[in-house]
Amino acid sequence: MVKRATIKDVAARAGVSIATVSNVFSGKKAVNPDLAKKVEEAAAALSYRLDRNASQLRSGRVQVVGMLVPNLDDTFFTSLVERVERLAHDDGYEVLVASSRDNPQLEISRLNALLGWRPSGLIAVPCSNAIPQPIRSEIGRLPMVLADRIGEDNLPIDTVTMDNVAAGQAAAELLIPSHRDILIAASNTAIRPIADRIAGISSVVETHYGVRPRIVELTSNINAGAEIFCDWLSREARPEGVICLTNVTTLAALQAFAALNIDIPEDVSLIGFDDYTWMTARKVPLSAVRQPVEEMGQAIWNCLSDRMAGGDVPTRHIVLPGSLQVRRSVRSSTSA
Amino acid sequence: MVKRATIKDVAARAGVSIATVSNVFSGKKAVNPDLAKKVEEAAAALSYRLDRNASQLRSGRVQVVGMLVPNLDDTFFTSLVERVERLAHDDGYEVLVASSRDNPQLEISRLNALLGWRPSGLIAVPCSNAIPQPIRSEIGRLPMVLADRIGEDNLPIDTVTMDNVAAGQAAAELLIPSHRDILIAASNTAIRPIADRIAGISSVVETHYGVRPRIVELTSNINAGAEIFCDWLSREARPEGVICLTNVTTLAALQAFAALNIDIPEDVSLIGFDDYTWMTARKVPLSAVRQPVEEMGQAIWNCLSDRMAGGDVPTRHIVLPGSLQVRRSVRSSTSA
DNA sequence: GACTCTGAGTTAAACGTTTAACTCAACGAA
DNA sequence: TTCGTTGAGTTAAACGTTTAACTCAGAGTC
């Protein structure tokens, strides 16, 4: 392991002061082109690379934002990371990603680790409805944006979410005309977006039929969910339509239907949440509520960079509409 | 924006020297419990947080590794990131993730950015067969592990890959008994893993039937691929079996088959690469070659931490076997 | 020719930690 | 009593940058 060249080594080799070397790289002050060339040659010869730690420590300017997500296995979150990373990078920022693995305790420690980098901004998708302590204590000190899983309303932090209630209503309204008995397949009914989707569906179903829809909880594990659902289907009356509130529940439901040889949409109609490419690569493409990931990423970055730019921006709570992708997994009203 | 508390502020408030504060947090030297408590209280009161930049700059110890992947939209890479992040974190390391977006030029700039953090190790999945310059120049200076897309053999860097040739052979052998005309649906035949899979399939097909299998290139975009494939199917004789070499090509092929009303496995058999959960959530679950992501992540981390631990470990080239998941998308020999 | 002004370079002081070297009191052993 | 020895604390010097303050030659002005 060879010792790394520092700015001093470069300065010595180029026969200039370290300040000049710094100026060559930062462009803060003009330097004579001949000298600059010498410096660059010296740097190349020593394969010098600026030390971010030293640079950030001294300058105080940190072109870094932290991003916390509940996990990196869910395409929704990774897409969000991808979008934000792209936008951030275009603006000259690095993104530090951390996953809380849906564990509130780990979430706190990951947040503390992120904050130790002294980032200039923080983006977080909390893993529960609660706002974790490290975020609480940074309110007003650090530019922050929360997304997706926001438990409280009227937080003094910018938020970006989908309108889950409306999305649930839209899904329900697609089924209503030709389906009476509607089932909701949920993952964890405790977390806010899921609860909101349920509320949206329920309100529509209730006004039309005067009863609340049935709900089955399929956990966050596909195989476990499929088993639970098979079991449920063997005990309960088969619904006419199912709305699956997450990617995982959709897959669990599909597995169960395949196992029990139940056809979509002939035997039962299905609507999923989140629109994945695999949903359209089937003989019967799946209807789904598409989350506006692209727009959410954009909104998150807009909020954050506005806030990082300083100025007294009032707190914003951005709510984006989902869009219902109507495909063939829902029986049309003619056959009702 | 309030100014952040430093170790000095904590020391002043607790009435001790900054060295003592440092010792309380690092545990390098014992301190009197009473004093320690005072320090902790002071730190809490000031909501002090250690500055990583300063700490790393001074100590030279950097519990950070960089990880470069071709993109964050492909579940294979994000799974790899997820596994590595988990293992790294358990060993007390932070992972810095960067995406090259399959762009060799961006790859270089992202690598330079990563290296500017002076990480203690680097993990990279190159976006092309070429080893990017920044990696080349770190050989022997920085612990590194390359994974998946390795163009050259016998590199003086640790590598972790799947045995793509064997995987291709296994897939071909599953089809051979009952399928004569086999088609390969590839994304980009230039990159090594794909080329190897093709080689594996071709060798088996050739020894059995004396001809090389046909190949169609479907790009890395699902919708474009589906269109190309529809077009291809309208011109060429329909194959008896298709082996799709990536997730994207599998989805493209499925879309095309759905559009043309071609049934699996009645009209054509299909084998995919990478085993995703959606593949089993269908009436006809898909056969696929499963990449050992979990084991690859583990192998990557093992290699890297061995190398970071120092010592003259000889260069290792770890090749892990894929596993063929046989499901119903392949017509059995009885119907041949 | 004396003057300011500018531009390009240097010097040296930070930034917030860690840590080697030091101090000093308390304790035993001889 | 004397003399290490130990343990717990302090002091101050780094780490590799950035940057305010400075120097100094050369150009422009009157």
Side-chain angles (χ1 to χ4, degrees), chain B residues 154-184:
Chain B
N154 301 320
L155 274 173
I157 312 176
D158 292 337
T159 60
V160 174
T161 50
M162 184 177 78
D163 188 341
N164 286 294
V165 176
Q169 289 171 339
E173 272 156 11
L174 181 63
L175 287 184
I176 287 290
S178 42
H179 305 73
R180 211 190 154 77
D181 187 9
I182 293 172
L183 173 70
I184 298 175

Side-chain angles (χ1 to χ4, degrees), chain B residues 35-324:
Chain B
L35 266 197
K37 197 161 163 241
K38 253 197 199 159
V39 168
E40 268 155 16
E41 281 168 4
L46 300 169
S47 66
Y48 165 73
R49 210 187 308 273
L50 193 106
D51 184 326
R52 281 195 94 91
N53 286 316
S55 165
Q56 294 191 355
L57 171 59
R58 170 58 234 234
S59 71
R61 270 176 284 90
V62 192
Q63 297 279 83
V64 169
V65 304
M67 182 162 188
L68 176 89
V69 293
N71 68 70
L72 292 170
D73 280 328
D74 189 324
T75 319
F76 175 65
F77 299 127
T78 56
S79 306
L80 220 48
V81 170
E82 202 276 339
R83 300 292 178 277
V84 168
E85 207 259 355
R86 179 178 303 217
L87 295 165
H89 189 239
D90 290 352
D91 283 2
Y93 283 82
E94 297 284 321
V95 180
L96 255 36
V97 181
S99 154
S100 63
R101 294 181 226 158
D102 273 315
N103 173 344
Q105 215 175 328
L106 194 57
E107 180 171 61
I108 291 178
S109 98
R110 306 308 277 122
L111 276 171
N112 281 326
L114 276 183
L115 292 169
W117 291 98
R118 311 269 150 132
S120 32
L122 181 72
I123 297 161
V125 179
C127 68
S128 72
N129 286 341
I131 306 299
Q133 185 48 46
I135 290 188
R136 280 234 136 75
S137 65
E138 290 295 331
I139 291 175
R141 322 173 103 213
L142 182 69
M144 291 189 287
V145 179
L146 263 40
D148 190 42
R149 297 199 187 161
I150 315 295
E152 299 172 35
D153 292 318
N154 301 320
L155 274 173
I157 312 176
D158 292 337
T159 60
V160 174
T161 50
M162 184 177 78
D163 188 341
N164 286 294
V165 176
Q169 289 171 339
E173 272 156 11
L174 181 63
L175 287 184
I176 287 290
S178 42
H179 305 73
R180 211 190 154 77
D181 187 9
I182 293 172
L183 173 70
I184 298 175
S187 50
N188 176 357
T189 55
I191 72 171
R192 182 67 183 277
I194 302 301
D196 282 357
R197 290 170 195 180
I198 293 177
I201 298 168
S202 297
S203 71
V204 170
V205 171
E206 206 162 9
T207 55
H208 271 266
Y209 298 130
V211 293
R212 316 211 87 207
R214 291 185 286 170
I215 299 179
V216 60
E217 270 200 69
L218 301 184
T219 78
S220 291
N221 177 285
I222 296 175
N223 295 322
E227 218 164 298
I228 294 173
F229 197 33
C230 278
D231 188 49
W232 189 94
L233 285 166
S234 72
R235 291 196 322 269
E236 309 271 338
R238 182 191 298 168
E240 293 173 46
V242 180
I243 302 179
C244 300
L245 298 191
T246 66
N247 175 36
V248 168
T249 48
T250 307
L251 288 166
L254 288 174
Q255 257 185 28
F257 287 147
L260 300 174
N261 219 20
I262 296 174
D263 285 330
I264 299 169
E266 291 78 7
D267 301 326
V268 61
S269 292
L270 189 144
I271 302 181
F273 264 78
D274 296 352
D275 190 36
Y276 291 104
T277 43
W278 59 263
M279 292 183 175
T280 55
R282 346 174 83 235
K283 284 197 84 165
V284 178
L286 261 38
S287 302
V289 176
R290 184 166 167 54
Q291 294 216 57
V293 200
E294 184 83 49
E295 293 83 347
M296 288 178 80
Q298 186 76 57
I300 289 170
W301 187 249
N302 288 348
C303 275
L304 195 66
S305 43
D306 286 357
R307 211 156 276 286
M308 290 192 302
D312 263 339
V313 198
T315 306
R316 279 178 288 183
H317 297 292
I318 296 178
V319 179
L320 296 166
S323 64
L324 186 62

Side-chain angles (χ1 to χ4, degrees), chain A:
Chain A
M1 279 322 118
V2 197
K3 203 148 172 2
R4 242 161 238 301
T6 76
I7 200 172
K8 278 187 200 153
D9 305 323
V10 177
R13 191 179 230 263
V16 297
S17 73
I18 61 166
T20 301
V21 177
S22 176
N23 283 329
V24 169
F25 288 114
S26 70
K28 288 264 160 182
K29 252 181 133 183
V31 314
N32 182 318
D34 292 354
L35 264 197
K37 197 161 163 242
K38 252 198 200 160
V39 167
E40 267 155 16
E41 281 169 5
L46 300 169
S47 67
Y48 166 73
R49 209 187 307 275
L50 192 107
D51 184 325
R52 281 195 95 89
N53 286 316
S55 167
Q56 295 190 354
L57 170 59
R58 172 57 233 231
S59 71
R61 271 176 283 90
V62 193
Q63 297 279 83
V64 169
V65 304
M67 182 163 186
L68 176 89
V69 293
N71 69 71
L72 292 170
D73 280 326
D74 189 322
T75 319
F76 175 66
F77 300 127
T78 58
S79 307
L80 221 48
V81 170
E82 203 277 338
R83 300 294 178 276
V84 168
E85 207 260 354
R86 176 176 307 215
L87 295 165
H89 188 241
D90 290 351
D91 283 1
Y93 283 81
E94 298 283 321
V95 180
L96 256 38
V97 181
S99 155
S100 63
R101 293 181 225 157
D102 273 314
N103 174 343
Q105 216 174 329
L106 194 57
E107 180 171 61
I108 291 178
S109 97
R110 306 307 277 122
L111 277 171
N112 281 326
L114 278 183
L115 292 169
W117 292 97
R118 310 265 152 135
S120 33
L122 181 71
I123 297 162
V125 179
C127 69
S128 73
N129 287 341
I131 306 299
Q133 185 48 45
I135 290 188
R136 280 233 135 76
S137 64
E138 291 295 329
I139 292 175
R141 322 174 105 212
L142 182 69
M144 293 189 287
V145 179
L146 264 41
D148 190 44
R149 297 199 187 162
I150 315 296
E152 299 172 34
D153 293 317
N154 302 318
L155 274 174
I157 312 177
D158 291 337
T159 60
V160 174
T161 49
M162 184 178 77
D163 188 341
N164 287 294
V165 176
Q169 288 171 338
E173 272 157 10
L174 180 64
L175 287 184
I176 287 290
S178 43
H179 304 73
R180 213 194 151 74
D181 187 8
I182 293 172
L183 173 70
I184 298 175
S187 51
N188 176 355
T189 56
I191 72 170
R192 183 66 183 276
I194 301 301
D196 282 356
R197 291 170 194 180
I198 293 176
I201 299 168
S202 296
S203 72
V204 170
V205 171
E206 206 163 8
T207 56
H208 272 266
Y209 298 130
V211 293
R212 317 212 87 210
R214 290 184 287 169
I215 299 178
V216 60
E217 271 201 68
L218 300 184
T219 78
S220 291
N221 176 286
I222 296 175
N223 295 323
E227 217 165 299
I228 294 173
F229 198 33
C230 278
D231 188 49
W232 189 93
L233 285 166
S234 72
R235 290 196 323 269
E236 309 271 337
R238 182 191 300 169
E240 294 171 44
V242 180
I243 302 178
C244 301
L245 298 192
T246 67
N247 176 36
V248 169
T249 47
T250 307
L251 288 166
L254 288 174
Q255 257 185 29
F257 287 146
L260 299 174
N261 219 22
I262 296 173
D263 286 329
I264 301 170
E266 291 80 7
D267 300 327
V268 62
S269 292
L270 189 144
I271 301 180
F273 264 78
D274 296 353
D275 191 36
Y276 292 104
T277 44
W278 61 263
M279 291 183 176
T280 56
R282 346 174 83 234
K283 287 197 79 166
V284 178
L286 260 37
S287 302
V289 176
R290 183 163 166 56
Q291 295 217 54
V293 201
E294 185 82 49
E295 293 82 348
M296 287 177 81
Q298 186 75 57
I300 290 171
W301 187 248
N302 288 349
C303 275
L304 195 66
S305 42
D306 286 356
R307 213 157 273 287
M308 290 193 301
D312 262 339
V313 197
T315 307
R316 278 178 288 184
H317 297 291
I318 296 178
V319 179
L320 297 166
S323 64
L324 186 61
Q325 310 293 116
V326 181
R327 304 201 187 93
R328 303 219 312 276
S329 66
V330 174
R331 187 162 30 93
S332 66
S333 32
T334 55
S335 56

